[in-house]
Amino acid sequence: MSRSVAKVATSARLFCADARRWATETERQVDRGETPAKSRTARLKTFGELIDLHIDDMCDVGKSPRRSKAAALALLQRHLGKCNIAALDRERLIRFGRDRAAQGAGPMTLGIDIGFVKLILAHAAAVHGLPVKVEPVDLARMA
């Protein structure tokens, strides 16, 4: 088998495995009475991908983020972007707040940062129907 044929066969196997995984998850969601997620949003795993999705949605309606929001989202992308969505719990957000305070951010700045985290999660839940929880953000804000 030539290299190009082997490469195509490998990618086809990966594609089929991804398709099977998506179909199984969709069937589980239907069985639980939930609305299945679209394939585009079903692949989202990190908070950074949610940030990118939010920015894409804003640009789609002709309202790209202005300078302040773009800077805040870039900061969140750097600090929390690689964090798994499921791992973004109250403790992780409190640690993020403590790290930002150690860098010199005041209470108002921390409130803004946490507010943007809540905005991103609420947008993902409301617009795309992703199963993300916003409550840990409220608990972290109070801590």
Side-chain angles (χ1 to χ4, degrees):
M1 186 181 320
S2 69
R3 285 185 185 175
S4 62
V5 172
K7 195 180 216 182
V8 170
T10 302
S11 66
R13 273 194 298 268
L14 291 175
F15 179 75
C16 287
D18 286 343
R20 253 188 240 107
R21 198 173 310 117
W22 175 81
T24 304
E25 182 58 31
T26 301
E27 289 171 357
R28 282 187 194 132
Q29 290 173 342
V30 170
D31 290 344
R32 289 188 303 244
E34 300 171 356
T35 304
K38 295 178 183 170
S39 62
R40 174 184 175 207
T41 57
R43 290 188 295 263
L44 300 176
K45 300 290 181 215
T46 65
F47 187 67
E49 292 170 341
L50 290 183
I51 293 171
D52 293 338
L53 180 68
H54 179 71
I55 292 171
D56 289 345
D57 287 347
M58 287 182 66
C59 292
D60 287 346
V61 296
K63 294 190 173 206
S64 61
R66 300 286 185 214
R67 188 176 52 162
S68 296
K69 186 173 187 176
L73 292 177
L75 179 129
L76 290 175
Q77 185 77 274
R78 281 192 312 273
H79 289 274
L80 296 174
K82 293 180 181 168
C83 185
N84 191 318
I85 296 169
L88 198 63
D89 56 358
R90 182 183 62 84
E91 291 83 17
R92 178 66 182 100
L93 292 171
I94 290 172
R95 191 169 11 132
F96 166 71
R98 287 186 180 144
D99 292 345
R100 289 283 291 139
Q103 295 171 355
M108 196 63 144
T109 305
L110 288 174
I112 292 169
D113 291 344
I114 297 294
F116 276 122
V117 171
K118 184 175 181 178
L119 171 74
I120 298 297
L121 293 174
H123 173 265
V127 176
H128 298 286
L130 291 174
V132 294
K133 292 185 168 79
V134 180
E135 296 83 23
V137 180
D138 293 329
L139 295 173
R141 184 181 290 228
M142 290 187 181

